[in-house]
Amino acid sequence: MTTSLPGPLRHFLQFRDFNRKEILYLLERAKLIKDRFKRYEPHRTLHDRTLAMVFEKASTRTRVSFEAGMYQMGGSVIHLTTTDSQLGRSEPIEDTARVVSRMVDLVMIRTFEQTRIERFASHSRVPVINGLTNEFHPCQILADIFTYIEHRGTIEGRTVAWIGDANNMAYTWLQAAELLDFKVHVSTPPGYQLDAARIRQIPARHLQVFDDPFEACKGADLVTTDVWTSMGYEDENEIRRKAFANWCVTMEMMDLAAPNALFMHCLPAHRGEEVAADVIDGPQSVVWDEAENRLHVQKALMEFLVLGPQT
Ligand code: CP
Ligand code: NVA
């Protein structure tokens, strides 16, 4: 028997699907869940619940963190991909949503266009989580913010420098900046800038665009980047390698940031492309904590979507 909250069905398709209070609740709850995990204390609040995961793109962290997280909370997981399900043989996503959501309590999807996950969600009886689309990667930003707070305290009023592609991660940072009141400096190569239509409403106190990546790093509390070529854009790989050559996060950039600045990368990383090895493997880098924290924040997220806030 699948169950859902008595209130309206909630999804996490983009960061701003939750309000500030809800995000702060999730961050607090993730801390409690992580502390219990570190003490080997069971946290089985999703006992007998089932998560279906649908991957239309590759994954290591997202798969392992959702799958391990659900088992650790006492539930079970079904893993589907495009090629091993009827999605690969043109079954409409709406029909897949209708069927899958009658059998499980929660769905996580990694796919291409945001409209595809929205179509799934609008035909789902259970909550749907975005495990990455071309447009957004909200679970990763939840983990990144949790990681920042863990190392440095509140992110409110801080400056995040985003160096590289105007991709799903960049746009999710921007949504988080508005919700949690911090600023993002964005520097992208010519031809790969943020889409003017998508940033029109963002106030200047949350977004400043820089042509020069070194300028963008000046005084930043956190410097972060991502692959130059996201999944689904592989045909552009060679041309992007040339265009992005000056958008590699180096020690020179880190030296311009605040003295206690952190470095983050959602991974997978390409040392010598978007980040120098001495940065990602250096003392300011928190990339392994960032990856681990996917587990803890997503446990809080799944619990919230299935059971509501816990006291
Ligand atoms: N950061 C992230 O989502 O990693 P995967 O692609 O390995 O899931
Ligand atoms: N922007 C990257 C993130 C990978 C986790 C991509 O979409 O491929």
PDB file of all heavy atoms in Angstrom, residues 57-59 61-62 110-111 131-137 140 162 165 167-170 226-234 265-268 294, ligand 2:
ATOM      1  N   LYS A  57      20.389   9.238 -17.441  1.00  0.00           N
ATOM      2  CA  LYS A  57      21.790   9.627 -17.633  1.00  0.00           C
ATOM      3  C   LYS A  57      22.610   8.851 -16.604  1.00  0.00           C
ATOM      4  O   LYS A  57      22.049   8.370 -15.605  1.00  0.00           O
ATOM      5  CB  LYS A  57      21.987  11.129 -17.370  1.00  0.00           C
ATOM      6  CG  LYS A  57      21.341  12.067 -18.368  1.00  0.00           C
ATOM      7  CD  LYS A  57      21.547  13.507 -17.909  1.00  0.00           C
ATOM      8  CE  LYS A  57      20.992  14.509 -18.900  1.00  0.00           C
ATOM      9  NZ  LYS A  57      21.031  15.887 -18.342  1.00  0.00           N
ATOM     10  N   ALA A  58      23.915   8.811 -16.809  1.00  0.00           N
ATOM     11  CA  ALA A  58      24.810   8.076 -15.906  1.00  0.00           C
ATOM     12  C   ALA A  58      24.862   8.725 -14.514  1.00  0.00           C
ATOM     13  O   ALA A  58      24.519   9.903 -14.358  1.00  0.00           O
ATOM     14  CB  ALA A  58      26.219   8.052 -16.500  1.00  0.00           C
ATOM     15  N   SER A  59      25.309   7.946 -13.534  1.00  0.00           N
ATOM     16  CA  SER A  59      25.477   8.479 -12.177  1.00  0.00           C
ATOM     17  C   SER A  59      26.323   7.544 -11.330  1.00  0.00           C
ATOM     18  O   SER A  59      26.223   6.327 -11.467  1.00  0.00           O
ATOM     19  CB  SER A  59      24.114   8.637 -11.496  1.00  0.00           C
ATOM     20  OG  SER A  59      24.287   8.917 -10.124  1.00  0.00           O
ATOM     21  N   ARG A  61      27.407   9.127  -7.691  1.00  0.00           N
ATOM     22  CA  ARG A  61      27.013   9.666  -6.396  1.00  0.00           C
ATOM     23  C   ARG A  61      25.507   9.637  -6.166  1.00  0.00           C
ATOM     24  O   ARG A  61      25.038   9.268  -5.086  1.00  0.00           O
ATOM     25  CB  ARG A  61      27.486  11.129  -6.248  1.00  0.00           C
ATOM     26  CG  ARG A  61      28.937  11.271  -5.870  1.00  0.00           C
ATOM     27  CD  ARG A  61      29.550  12.464  -6.561  1.00  0.00           C
ATOM     28  NE  ARG A  61      29.687  12.160  -7.959  1.00  0.00           N
ATOM     29  CZ  ARG A  61      30.789  11.583  -8.490  1.00  0.00           C
ATOM     30  NH1 ARG A  61      31.814  11.340  -7.744  1.00  0.00           N
ATOM     31  NH2 ARG A  61      30.850  11.275  -9.779  1.00  0.00           N
ATOM     32  N   THR A  62      24.747  10.060  -7.168  1.00  0.00           N
ATOM     33  CA  THR A  62      23.300  10.163  -6.973  1.00  0.00           C
ATOM     34  C   THR A  62      22.712   8.778  -6.742  1.00  0.00           C
ATOM     35  O   THR A  62      21.907   8.573  -5.827  1.00  0.00           O
ATOM     36  CB  THR A  62      22.671  10.865  -8.187  1.00  0.00           C
ATOM     37  OG1 THR A  62      23.314  12.135  -8.321  1.00  0.00           O
ATOM     38  CG2 THR A  62      21.175  11.053  -8.011  1.00  0.00           C
ATOM     39  N   ARG A 110      16.562  11.182 -12.825  1.00  0.00           N
ATOM     40  CA  ARG A 110      17.642  11.933 -13.490  1.00  0.00           C
ATOM     41  C   ARG A 110      17.345  11.862 -14.974  1.00  0.00           C
ATOM     42  O   ARG A 110      17.295  10.778 -15.566  1.00  0.00           O
ATOM     43  CB  ARG A 110      18.999  11.327 -13.179  1.00  0.00           C
ATOM     44  CG  ARG A 110      20.097  11.876 -14.071  1.00  0.00           C
ATOM     45  CD  ARG A 110      21.483  11.536 -13.606  1.00  0.00           C
ATOM     46  NE  ARG A 110      21.826  12.310 -12.429  1.00  0.00           N
ATOM     47  CZ  ARG A 110      23.068  12.456 -11.964  1.00  0.00           C
ATOM     48  NH1 ARG A 110      24.080  11.877 -12.570  1.00  0.00           N
ATOM     49  NH2 ARG A 110      23.317  13.186 -10.897  1.00  0.00           N
ATOM     50  N   THR A 111      17.138  13.032 -15.592  1.00  0.00           N
ATOM     51  CA  THR A 111      16.754  13.017 -17.002  1.00  0.00           C
ATOM     52  C   THR A 111      17.273  14.251 -17.727  1.00  0.00           C
ATOM     53  O   THR A 111      18.162  14.949 -17.237  1.00  0.00           O
ATOM     54  CB  THR A 111      15.219  12.853 -17.124  1.00  0.00           C
ATOM     55  OG1 THR A 111      14.880  12.646 -18.501  1.00  0.00           O
ATOM     56  CG2 THR A 111      14.451  14.055 -16.585  1.00  0.00           C
ATOM     57  N   GLY A 131      16.849  14.354  -9.570  1.00  0.00           N
ATOM     58  CA  GLY A 131      18.223  13.878  -9.349  1.00  0.00           C
ATOM     59  C   GLY A 131      19.174  14.392 -10.406  1.00  0.00           C
ATOM     60  O   GLY A 131      20.252  13.827 -10.591  1.00  0.00           O
ATOM     61  N   LEU A 132      18.800  15.458 -11.072  1.00  0.00           N
ATOM     62  CA  LEU A 132      19.558  16.209 -12.099  1.00  0.00           C
ATOM     63  C   LEU A 132      18.761  16.228 -13.405  1.00  0.00           C
ATOM     64  O   LEU A 132      18.310  15.184 -13.884  1.00  0.00           O
ATOM     65  CB  LEU A 132      20.948  15.621 -12.367  1.00  0.00           C
ATOM     66  CG  LEU A 132      21.853  16.341 -13.387  1.00  0.00           C
ATOM     67  CD1 LEU A 132      23.328  16.229 -13.011  1.00  0.00           C
ATOM     68  CD2 LEU A 132      21.631  15.815 -14.807  1.00  0.00           C
ATOM     69  N   THR A 133      18.597  17.430 -13.900  1.00  0.00           N
ATOM     70  CA  THR A 133      18.071  17.645 -15.259  1.00  0.00           C
ATOM     71  C   THR A 133      19.037  18.586 -15.968  1.00  0.00           C
ATOM     72  O   THR A 133      19.971  19.105 -15.343  1.00  0.00           O
ATOM     73  CB  THR A 133      16.668  18.300 -15.237  1.00  0.00           C
ATOM     74  OG1 THR A 133      16.763  19.524 -14.477  1.00  0.00           O
ATOM     75  CG2 THR A 133      15.624  17.385 -14.624  1.00  0.00           C
ATOM     76  N   ASN A 134      18.788  18.846 -17.231  1.00  0.00           N
ATOM     77  CA  ASN A 134      19.633  19.815 -17.947  1.00  0.00           C
ATOM     78  C   ASN A 134      19.596  21.179 -17.251  1.00  0.00           C
ATOM     79  O   ASN A 134      20.564  21.930 -17.299  1.00  0.00           O
ATOM     80  CB  ASN A 134      19.137  20.017 -19.379  1.00  0.00           C
ATOM     81  CG  ASN A 134      19.331  18.784 -20.226  1.00  0.00           C
ATOM     82  OD1 ASN A 134      19.991  17.831 -19.811  1.00  0.00           O
ATOM     83  ND2 ASN A 134      18.749  18.780 -21.423  1.00  0.00           N
ATOM     84  N   GLU A 135      18.476  21.490 -16.617  1.00  0.00           N
ATOM     85  CA  GLU A 135      18.286  22.833 -16.057  1.00  0.00           C
ATOM     86  C   GLU A 135      18.714  22.975 -14.604  1.00  0.00           C
ATOM     87  O   GLU A 135      19.147  24.049 -14.186  1.00  0.00           O
ATOM     88  CB  GLU A 135      16.811  23.252 -16.181  1.00  0.00           C
ATOM     89  CG  GLU A 135      16.382  23.615 -17.581  1.00  0.00           C
ATOM     90  CD  GLU A 135      16.011  22.412 -18.438  1.00  0.00           C
ATOM     91  OE1 GLU A 135      16.139  21.265 -17.951  1.00  0.00           O
ATOM     92  OE2 GLU A 135      15.592  22.609 -19.586  1.00  0.00           O
ATOM     93  N   PHE A 136      18.550  21.921 -13.786  1.00  0.00           N
ATOM     94  CA  PHE A 136      18.769  22.047 -12.333  1.00  0.00           C
ATOM     95  C   PHE A 136      19.376  20.785 -11.724  1.00  0.00           C
ATOM     96  O   PHE A 136      19.199  19.677 -12.261  1.00  0.00           O
ATOM     97  CB  PHE A 136      17.436  22.337 -11.610  1.00  0.00           C
ATOM     98  CG  PHE A 136      16.782  23.627 -12.000  1.00  0.00           C
ATOM     99  CD1 PHE A 136      15.566  23.632 -12.677  1.00  0.00           C
ATOM    100  CD2 PHE A 136      17.368  24.848 -11.693  1.00  0.00           C
ATOM    101  CE1 PHE A 136      14.950  24.828 -13.052  1.00  0.00           C
ATOM    102  CE2 PHE A 136      16.763  26.044 -12.054  1.00  0.00           C
ATOM    103  CZ  PHE A 136      15.556  26.034 -12.731  1.00  0.00           C
ATOM    104  N   HIS A 137      20.032  20.977 -10.559  1.00  0.00           N
ATOM    105  CA  HIS A 137      20.533  19.846  -9.768  1.00  0.00           C
ATOM    106  C   HIS A 137      20.328  20.180  -8.282  1.00  0.00           C
ATOM    107  O   HIS A 137      21.277  20.400  -7.529  1.00  0.00           O
ATOM    108  CB  HIS A 137      22.021  19.623 -10.081  1.00  0.00           C
ATOM    109  CG  HIS A 137      22.546  18.286  -9.669  1.00  0.00           C
ATOM    110  ND1 HIS A 137      21.775  17.312  -9.077  1.00  0.00           N
ATOM    111  CD2 HIS A 137      23.807  17.753  -9.743  1.00  0.00           C
ATOM    112  CE1 HIS A 137      22.522  16.251  -8.824  1.00  0.00           C
ATOM    113  NE2 HIS A 137      23.753  16.494  -9.215  1.00  0.00           N
ATOM    114  N   GLN A 140      22.117  18.364  -5.214  1.00  0.00           N
ATOM    115  CA  GLN A 140      23.542  18.676  -5.070  1.00  0.00           C
ATOM    116  C   GLN A 140      23.724  19.995  -4.328  1.00  0.00           C
ATOM    117  O   GLN A 140      24.580  20.115  -3.443  1.00  0.00           O
ATOM    118  CB  GLN A 140      24.208  18.748  -6.451  1.00  0.00           C
ATOM    119  CG  GLN A 140      25.692  19.011  -6.372  1.00  0.00           C
ATOM    120  CD  GLN A 140      26.465  17.844  -5.776  1.00  0.00           C
ATOM    121  OE1 GLN A 140      26.362  16.731  -6.258  1.00  0.00           O
ATOM    122  NE2 GLN A 140      27.244  18.098  -4.737  1.00  0.00           N
ATOM    123  N   TRP A 162      31.134  31.285  -9.011  1.00  0.00           N
ATOM    124  CA  TRP A 162      30.870  30.180  -9.937  1.00  0.00           C
ATOM    125  C   TRP A 162      31.710  30.416 -11.198  1.00  0.00           C
ATOM    126  O   TRP A 162      31.505  31.400 -11.912  1.00  0.00           O
ATOM    127  CB  TRP A 162      29.390  30.091 -10.310  1.00  0.00           C
ATOM    128  CG  TRP A 162      29.183  29.020 -11.342  1.00  0.00           C
ATOM    129  CD1 TRP A 162      29.154  29.172 -12.698  1.00  0.00           C
ATOM    130  CD2 TRP A 162      29.042  27.619 -11.098  1.00  0.00           C
ATOM    131  NE1 TRP A 162      29.006  27.948 -13.317  1.00  0.00           N
ATOM    132  CE2 TRP A 162      28.943  26.977 -12.352  1.00  0.00           C
ATOM    133  CE3 TRP A 162      29.009  26.843  -9.932  1.00  0.00           C
ATOM    134  CZ2 TRP A 162      28.806  25.597 -12.473  1.00  0.00           C
ATOM    135  CZ3 TRP A 162      28.856  25.471 -10.056  1.00  0.00           C
ATOM    136  CH2 TRP A 162      28.749  24.869 -11.314  1.00  0.00           C
ATOM    137  N   ASP A 165      30.831  26.827 -16.707  1.00  0.00           N
ATOM    138  CA  ASP A 165      29.655  26.720 -17.566  1.00  0.00           C
ATOM    139  C   ASP A 165      28.398  27.249 -16.865  1.00  0.00           C
ATOM    140  O   ASP A 165      28.207  27.020 -15.667  1.00  0.00           O
ATOM    141  CB  ASP A 165      29.458  25.237 -17.930  1.00  0.00           C
ATOM    142  CG  ASP A 165      28.471  25.044 -19.072  1.00  0.00           C
ATOM    143  OD1 ASP A 165      28.183  26.021 -19.806  1.00  0.00           O
ATOM    144  OD2 ASP A 165      27.990  23.907 -19.234  1.00  0.00           O
ATOM    145  N   ASN A 167      25.461  26.193 -16.296  1.00  0.00           N
ATOM    146  CA  ASN A 167      24.735  24.921 -16.442  1.00  0.00           C
ATOM    147  C   ASN A 167      23.730  24.703 -15.303  1.00  0.00           C
ATOM    148  O   ASN A 167      23.396  25.626 -14.561  1.00  0.00           O
ATOM    149  CB  ASN A 167      25.748  23.770 -16.540  1.00  0.00           C
ATOM    150  CG  ASN A 167      26.567  23.607 -15.262  1.00  0.00           C
ATOM    151  OD1 ASN A 167      26.257  24.203 -14.231  1.00  0.00           O
ATOM    152  ND2 ASN A 167      27.604  22.793 -15.328  1.00  0.00           N
ATOM    153  N   ASN A 168      23.268  23.465 -15.198  1.00  0.00           N
ATOM    154  CA  ASN A 168      22.274  23.100 -14.178  1.00  0.00           C
ATOM    155  C   ASN A 168      22.722  23.481 -12.755  1.00  0.00           C
ATOM    156  O   ASN A 168      21.907  23.926 -11.943  1.00  0.00           O
ATOM    157  CB  ASN A 168      21.939  21.602 -14.263  1.00  0.00           C
ATOM    158  CG  ASN A 168      23.156  20.711 -14.506  1.00  0.00           C
ATOM    159  OD1 ASN A 168      24.305  21.133 -14.368  1.00  0.00           O
ATOM    160  ND2 ASN A 168      22.894  19.465 -14.885  1.00  0.00           N
ATOM    161  N   MET A 169      24.000  23.309 -12.459  1.00  0.00           N
ATOM    162  CA  MET A 169      24.505  23.669 -11.133  1.00  0.00           C
ATOM    163  C   MET A 169      24.464  25.187 -10.928  1.00  0.00           C
ATOM    164  O   MET A 169      24.046  25.672  -9.871  1.00  0.00           O
ATOM    165  CB  MET A 169      25.945  23.163 -10.982  1.00  0.00           C
ATOM    166  CG  MET A 169      26.049  21.667 -10.766  1.00  0.00           C
ATOM    167  SD  MET A 169      25.462  21.205  -9.123  1.00  0.00           S
ATOM    168  CE  MET A 169      26.640  22.055  -8.078  1.00  0.00           C
ATOM    169  N   ALA A 170      24.892  25.928 -11.930  1.00  0.00           N
ATOM    170  CA  ALA A 170      24.929  27.392 -11.809  1.00  0.00           C
ATOM    171  C   ALA A 170      23.528  27.949 -11.534  1.00  0.00           C
ATOM    172  O   ALA A 170      23.334  28.766 -10.614  1.00  0.00           O
ATOM    173  CB  ALA A 170      25.499  28.000 -13.087  1.00  0.00           C
ATOM    174  N   ASP A 226      32.405  23.192 -12.223  1.00  0.00           N
ATOM    175  CA  ASP A 226      31.799  21.920 -12.656  1.00  0.00           C
ATOM    176  C   ASP A 226      32.404  21.593 -14.022  1.00  0.00           C
ATOM    177  O   ASP A 226      33.109  22.435 -14.613  1.00  0.00           O
ATOM    178  CB  ASP A 226      30.273  22.118 -12.751  1.00  0.00           C
ATOM    179  CG  ASP A 226      29.499  20.840 -13.011  1.00  0.00           C
ATOM    180  OD1 ASP A 226      30.084  19.740 -12.951  1.00  0.00           O
ATOM    181  OD2 ASP A 226      28.284  20.944 -13.307  1.00  0.00           O
ATOM    182  N   VAL A 227      32.103  20.418 -14.516  1.00  0.00           N
ATOM    183  CA  VAL A 227      32.605  20.011 -15.835  1.00  0.00           C
ATOM    184  C   VAL A 227      32.276  21.066 -16.901  1.00  0.00           C
ATOM    185  O   VAL A 227      31.267  21.748 -16.805  1.00  0.00           O
ATOM    186  CB  VAL A 227      31.991  18.662 -16.265  1.00  0.00           C
ATOM    187  CG1 VAL A 227      32.514  17.544 -15.388  1.00  0.00           C
ATOM    188  CG2 VAL A 227      30.468  18.701 -16.248  1.00  0.00           C
ATOM    189  N   TRP A 228      33.138  21.151 -17.905  1.00  0.00           N
ATOM    190  CA  TRP A 228      32.871  22.081 -19.007  1.00  0.00           C
ATOM    191  C   TRP A 228      31.771  21.546 -19.922  1.00  0.00           C
ATOM    192  O   TRP A 228      31.083  22.313 -20.586  1.00  0.00           O
ATOM    193  CB  TRP A 228      34.160  22.300 -19.808  1.00  0.00           C
ATOM    194  CG  TRP A 228      35.192  23.095 -19.057  1.00  0.00           C
ATOM    195  CD1 TRP A 228      34.984  23.921 -17.990  1.00  0.00           C
ATOM    196  CD2 TRP A 228      36.598  23.139 -19.338  1.00  0.00           C
ATOM    197  NE1 TRP A 228      36.169  24.478 -17.587  1.00  0.00           N
ATOM    198  CE2 TRP A 228      37.184  24.021 -18.390  1.00  0.00           C
ATOM    199  CE3 TRP A 228      37.419  22.537 -20.286  1.00  0.00           C
ATOM    200  CZ2 TRP A 228      38.546  24.309 -18.390  1.00  0.00           C
ATOM    201  CZ3 TRP A 228      38.774  22.820 -20.272  1.00  0.00           C
ATOM    202  CH2 TRP A 228      39.331  23.694 -19.326  1.00  0.00           C
ATOM    203  N   THR A 229      31.660  20.233 -19.972  1.00  0.00           N
ATOM    204  CA  THR A 229      30.634  19.622 -20.834  1.00  0.00           C
ATOM    205  C   THR A 229      29.739  18.736 -19.987  1.00  0.00           C
ATOM    206  O   THR A 229      30.158  17.682 -19.498  1.00  0.00           O
ATOM    207  CB  THR A 229      31.293  18.760 -21.937  1.00  0.00           C
ATOM    208  OG1 THR A 229      32.238  19.570 -22.643  1.00  0.00           O
ATOM    209  CG2 THR A 229      30.258  18.224 -22.900  1.00  0.00           C
ATOM    210  N   SER A 230      28.509  19.174 -19.804  1.00  0.00           N
ATOM    211  CA  SER A 230      27.560  18.384 -19.020  1.00  0.00           C
ATOM    212  C   SER A 230      27.024  17.218 -19.833  1.00  0.00           C
ATOM    213  O   SER A 230      27.115  17.207 -21.077  1.00  0.00           O
ATOM    214  CB  SER A 230      26.400  19.272 -18.568  1.00  0.00           C
ATOM    215  OG  SER A 230      26.818  20.105 -17.519  1.00  0.00           O
ATOM    216  N   MET A 231      26.434  16.255 -19.120  1.00  0.00           N
ATOM    217  CA  MET A 231      25.848  15.088 -19.794  1.00  0.00           C
ATOM    218  C   MET A 231      24.757  15.531 -20.762  1.00  0.00           C
ATOM    219  O   MET A 231      23.930  16.384 -20.430  1.00  0.00           O
ATOM    220  CB  MET A 231      25.271  14.128 -18.753  1.00  0.00           C
ATOM    221  CG  MET A 231      26.339  13.457 -17.928  1.00  0.00           C
ATOM    222  SD  MET A 231      25.652  12.321 -16.705  1.00  0.00           S
ATOM    223  CE  MET A 231      25.164  13.464 -15.407  1.00  0.00           C
ATOM    224  N   GLY A 232      24.812  14.971 -21.946  1.00  0.00           N
ATOM    225  CA  GLY A 232      23.846  15.343 -22.981  1.00  0.00           C
ATOM    226  C   GLY A 232      24.428  16.320 -23.991  1.00  0.00           C
ATOM    227  O   GLY A 232      23.823  16.577 -25.035  1.00  0.00           O
ATOM    228  N   TYR A 233      25.601  16.903 -23.669  1.00  0.00           N
ATOM    229  CA  TYR A 233      26.211  17.906 -24.550  1.00  0.00           C
ATOM    230  C   TYR A 233      27.557  17.417 -25.098  1.00  0.00           C
ATOM    231  O   TYR A 233      28.385  18.214 -25.529  1.00  0.00           O
ATOM    232  CB  TYR A 233      26.410  19.229 -23.789  1.00  0.00           C
ATOM    233  CG  TYR A 233      25.116  19.831 -23.286  1.00  0.00           C
ATOM    234  CD1 TYR A 233      24.565  19.420 -22.068  1.00  0.00           C
ATOM    235  CD2 TYR A 233      24.419  20.769 -24.037  1.00  0.00           C
ATOM    236  CE1 TYR A 233      23.364  19.947 -21.605  1.00  0.00           C
ATOM    237  CE2 TYR A 233      23.219  21.302 -23.576  1.00  0.00           C
ATOM    238  CZ  TYR A 233      22.701  20.889 -22.364  1.00  0.00           C
ATOM    239  OH  TYR A 233      21.519  21.406 -21.916  1.00  0.00           O
ATOM    240  N   GLU A 234      27.772  16.120 -25.070  1.00  0.00           N
ATOM    241  CA  GLU A 234      29.088  15.556 -25.389  1.00  0.00           C
ATOM    242  C   GLU A 234      29.577  15.933 -26.787  1.00  0.00           C
ATOM    243  O   GLU A 234      30.796  16.044 -27.003  1.00  0.00           O
ATOM    244  CB  GLU A 234      29.076  14.033 -25.228  1.00  0.00           C
ATOM    245  CG  GLU A 234      29.023  13.544 -23.781  1.00  0.00           C
ATOM    246  CD  GLU A 234      27.623  13.553 -23.159  1.00  0.00           C
ATOM    247  OE1 GLU A 234      26.651  13.930 -23.855  1.00  0.00           O
ATOM    248  OE2 GLU A 234      27.502  13.188 -21.973  1.00  0.00           O
ATOM    249  N   HIS A 265      33.244  21.172  -5.813  1.00  0.00           N
ATOM    250  CA  HIS A 265      32.988  20.644  -7.162  1.00  0.00           C
ATOM    251  C   HIS A 265      32.035  19.478  -6.960  1.00  0.00           C
ATOM    252  O   HIS A 265      32.305  18.590  -6.141  1.00  0.00           O
ATOM    253  CB  HIS A 265      34.305  20.177  -7.777  1.00  0.00           C
ATOM    254  CG  HIS A 265      34.230  19.789  -9.224  1.00  0.00           C
ATOM    255  ND1 HIS A 265      33.260  18.954  -9.746  1.00  0.00           N
ATOM    256  CD2 HIS A 265      35.029  20.124 -10.279  1.00  0.00           C
ATOM    257  CE1 HIS A 265      33.461  18.794 -11.040  1.00  0.00           C
ATOM    258  NE2 HIS A 265      34.519  19.497 -11.399  1.00  0.00           N
ATOM    259  N   CYS A 266      30.948  19.438  -7.705  1.00  0.00           N
ATOM    260  CA  CYS A 266      29.944  18.388  -7.456  1.00  0.00           C
ATOM    261  C   CYS A 266      30.447  17.006  -7.858  1.00  0.00           C
ATOM    262  O   CYS A 266      29.899  16.003  -7.420  1.00  0.00           O
ATOM    263  CB  CYS A 266      28.638  18.728  -8.146  1.00  0.00           C
ATOM    264  SG  CYS A 266      28.694  18.669  -9.942  1.00  0.00           S
ATOM    265  N   LEU A 267      31.491  16.969  -8.708  1.00  0.00           N
ATOM    266  CA  LEU A 267      32.081  15.714  -9.203  1.00  0.00           C
ATOM    267  C   LEU A 267      31.097  15.022 -10.183  1.00  0.00           C
ATOM    268  O   LEU A 267      29.908  15.155  -9.995  1.00  0.00           O
ATOM    269  CB  LEU A 267      32.468  14.772  -8.073  1.00  0.00           C
ATOM    270  CG  LEU A 267      33.378  15.366  -6.986  1.00  0.00           C
ATOM    271  CD1 LEU A 267      33.572  14.343  -5.861  1.00  0.00           C
ATOM    272  CD2 LEU A 267      34.737  15.755  -7.561  1.00  0.00           C
ATOM    273  N   PRO A 268      31.563  14.311 -11.170  1.00  0.00           N
ATOM    274  CA  PRO A 268      32.951  13.939 -11.432  1.00  0.00           C
ATOM    275  C   PRO A 268      33.777  15.129 -11.943  1.00  0.00           C
ATOM    276  O   PRO A 268      33.243  16.008 -12.621  1.00  0.00           O
ATOM    277  CB  PRO A 268      32.822  12.872 -12.523  1.00  0.00           C
ATOM    278  CG  PRO A 268      31.559  13.226 -13.253  1.00  0.00           C
ATOM    279  CD  PRO A 268      30.644  13.784 -12.214  1.00  0.00           C
ATOM    280  N   ARG A 294      25.630  14.311   0.235  1.00  0.00           N
ATOM    281  CA  ARG A 294      24.458  13.942  -0.586  1.00  0.00           C
ATOM    282  C   ARG A 294      23.618  12.924   0.172  1.00  0.00           C
ATOM    283  O   ARG A 294      22.385  12.979   0.179  1.00  0.00           O
ATOM    284  CB  ARG A 294      24.909  13.347  -1.933  1.00  0.00           C
ATOM    285  CG  ARG A 294      25.573  14.327  -2.894  1.00  0.00           C
ATOM    286  CD  ARG A 294      24.583  15.313  -3.480  1.00  0.00           C
ATOM    287  NE  ARG A 294      23.509  14.662  -4.216  1.00  0.00           N
ATOM    288  CZ  ARG A 294      23.591  14.240  -5.492  1.00  0.00           C
ATOM    289  NH1 ARG A 294      24.700  14.439  -6.181  1.00  0.00           N
ATOM    290  NH2 ARG A 294      22.556  13.673  -6.090  1.00  0.00           N
TER     291      ARG A 294
HETATM  292  N1  NVA B   2      26.652  19.614 -14.835  1.00  0.00           N
HETATM  293  C1  NVA B   2      26.982  18.206 -14.761  1.00  0.00           C
HETATM  294  C2  NVA B   2      26.782  17.719 -13.369  1.00  0.00           C
HETATM  295  C3  NVA B   2      27.125  16.275 -13.165  1.00  0.00           C
HETATM  296  C4  NVA B   2      26.813  15.796 -11.779  1.00  0.00           C
HETATM  297  C5  NVA B   2      26.100  17.436 -15.725  1.00  0.00           C
HETATM  298  O1  NVA B   2      24.929  17.768 -15.868  1.00  0.00           O
HETATM  299  O2  NVA B   2      26.605  16.505 -16.360  1.00  0.00           O
END
